[in-house]
Amino acid sequence: MEKELIIRKIKINDLKKIESLQRENADEINNIWTFNEIFRFVEKQNGLAYLSEKNKELNGFILCLSNEDLLDIFIIFVAPLYRRGGIAEKFIKLCKIYCEKKSLKKISLEVSDQNFAAKKLYKKLKFKQVGLRKDYYSINGIKQDAIIMQLNIESQKS
């Protein structure tokens, strides 16, 4: 029997699996977060760190930090076999809920200008481009621009 997708907070015993998931998909990731980097991140009071799994298999994660009035998404990653299944959208929904609880006004992220699927998703979720970092990423030795996008939480309220 196939189990439902589970999204939960990242625990310390998940960190090696998260690092491994990134290494398995290194050709898609600009900067692999190490065990120690994720550990320090998860321990922060202003951090938001969740993972998704199905049948106890890790298939995605998100790491965010809040400051002042903004939640900054540092990485959102979903394994290729699980994309277009709503996982990233569920992560963003958790971010919105967190922002509402903490009275944060915006969610910010950056995405490669070559990541067409992610850009399409963020636009669908009402993120707007607010900046550009030229040649910010180097993926497989190829320079790519980073598009900075933000979602205004105030405009999302009904």
Side-chain angles (χ1 to χ4, degrees):
M1 181 170 132
E2 189 169 298
K3 296 196 177 192
E4 292 292 313
L5 179 76
I6 294 171
I7 295 182
R8 63 171 174 79
K9 286 186 177 183
I10 293 174
K11 300 175 191 167
I12 300 304
N13 63 350
D14 297 318
L15 303 185
K16 284 186 181 177
K17 289 189 284 186
I18 292 170
E19 189 176 3
S20 292
L21 178 66
Q22 294 175 90
R23 292 199 187 286
E24 291 166 14
N25 295 281
D27 59 329
E28 296 187 16
I29 298 176
N30 178 49
N31 180 35
I32 293 175
W33 288 64
T34 66
F35 179 97
N36 289 332
E37 288 171 327
I38 301 167
F39 176 79
R40 285 191 300 270
F41 195 94
V42 169
E43 291 293 302
K44 291 183 184 273
Q45 292 296 328
N46 62 334
L48 182 73
Y50 280 85
L51 62 75
S52 62
E53 57 188 4
K54 193 167 189 177
N55 299 328
K56 296 188 178 184
E57 180 182 339
L58 174 69
N59 55 38
F61 68 99
I62 184 170
L63 300 173
C64 312
L65 285 180
S66 62
N67 58 41
E68 297 180 24
D69 66 349
L70 175 79
L71 181 67
D72 198 1
I73 298 175
F74 281 75
I75 184 169
I76 183 168
F77 182 78
V78 177
L81 290 175
Y82 292 91
R83 291 183 185 156
R84 293 178 176 73
I87 295 171
E89 253 180 281
K90 288 176 182 171
F91 283 147
I92 298 294
K93 185 175 182 180
L94 284 170
C95 291
K96 287 181 185 179
I97 292 167
Y98 179 86
C99 287
E100 289 171 4
K101 286 181 182 174
K102 300 286 186 179
S103 299
L104 303 176
K105 294 181 170 75
K106 295 178 184 171
I107 299 172
S108 182
L109 57 80
E110 58 190 41
V111 60
S112 166
D113 67 337
Q114 298 301 303
N115 191 340
F116 302 108
K119 288 190 313 185
K120 183 177 177 180
L121 171 66
Y122 300 140
K123 286 177 184 175
K124 174 183 152 192
L125 296 175
K126 309 287 189 239
F127 280 80
K128 305 280 187 236
Q129 181 173 340
V130 296
L132 180 75
R133 291 186 174 122
K134 293 295 282 175
D135 297 331
Y136 187 74
Y137 298 116
S138 179
I139 300 174
N140 293 325
I142 299 168
K143 295 285 186 185
Q144 296 177 10
D145 296 343
I147 297 172
I148 303 165
M149 301 183 86
Q150 286 186 348
L151 175 68
N152 185 334
I153 299 300
E154 293 296 313
S155 68
Q156 297 294 302
K157 293 182 180 176
S158 310

PDB file of all heavy atoms in Angstrom, residues 33-34 47 85 120:
ATOM      1  N   TRP A  33      24.548  22.032   0.310  1.00  0.00           N
ATOM      2  CA  TRP A  33      24.595  22.339   1.731  1.00  0.00           C
ATOM      3  C   TRP A  33      25.144  21.120   2.462  1.00  0.00           C
ATOM      4  O   TRP A  33      24.604  20.018   2.336  1.00  0.00           O
ATOM      5  CB  TRP A  33      23.206  22.661   2.246  1.00  0.00           C
ATOM      6  CG  TRP A  33      22.682  23.990   1.780  1.00  0.00           C
ATOM      7  CD1 TRP A  33      22.417  24.359   0.495  1.00  0.00           C
ATOM      8  CD2 TRP A  33      22.386  25.108   2.589  1.00  0.00           C
ATOM      9  NE1 TRP A  33      21.967  25.639   0.467  1.00  0.00           N
ATOM     10  CE2 TRP A  33      21.930  26.130   1.738  1.00  0.00           C
ATOM     11  CE3 TRP A  33      22.436  25.337   3.959  1.00  0.00           C
ATOM     12  CZ2 TRP A  33      21.539  27.370   2.212  1.00  0.00           C
ATOM     13  CZ3 TRP A  33      22.042  26.579   4.432  1.00  0.00           C
ATOM     14  CH2 TRP A  33      21.604  27.584   3.549  1.00  0.00           C
ATOM     15  N   THR A  34      26.186  21.307   3.253  1.00  0.00           N
ATOM     16  CA  THR A  34      26.793  20.206   3.993  1.00  0.00           C
ATOM     17  C   THR A  34      26.002  19.917   5.266  1.00  0.00           C
ATOM     18  O   THR A  34      25.180  20.742   5.708  1.00  0.00           O
ATOM     19  CB  THR A  34      28.243  20.534   4.394  1.00  0.00           C
ATOM     20  OG1 THR A  34      28.224  21.623   5.324  1.00  0.00           O
ATOM     21  CG2 THR A  34      29.097  20.866   3.170  1.00  0.00           C
ATOM     22  N   GLY A  47      14.698  30.140  11.913  1.00  0.00           N
ATOM     23  CA  GLY A  47      14.750  29.265  10.751  1.00  0.00           C
ATOM     24  C   GLY A  47      13.456  28.505  10.518  1.00  0.00           C
ATOM     25  O   GLY A  47      12.675  28.272  11.446  1.00  0.00           O
ATOM     26  N   GLY A  85       4.414  17.427  -8.558  1.00  0.00           N
ATOM     27  CA  GLY A  85       3.476  16.712  -7.695  1.00  0.00           C
ATOM     28  C   GLY A  85       2.934  17.574  -6.572  1.00  0.00           C
ATOM     29  O   GLY A  85       2.272  17.075  -5.664  1.00  0.00           O
ATOM     30  N   LYS A 120       8.025  29.352 -13.592  1.00  0.00           N
ATOM     31  CA  LYS A 120       6.599  29.256 -13.911  1.00  0.00           C
ATOM     32  C   LYS A 120       5.775  29.039 -12.636  1.00  0.00           C
ATOM     33  O   LYS A 120       4.726  29.666 -12.443  1.00  0.00           O
ATOM     34  CB  LYS A 120       6.374  28.108 -14.899  1.00  0.00           C
ATOM     35  CG  LYS A 120       4.951  27.959 -15.362  1.00  0.00           C
ATOM     36  CD  LYS A 120       4.827  26.841 -16.385  1.00  0.00           C
ATOM     37  CE  LYS A 120       3.381  26.656 -16.799  1.00  0.00           C
ATOM     38  NZ  LYS A 120       3.231  25.570 -17.785  1.00  0.00           N
TER      39      LYS A 120
END
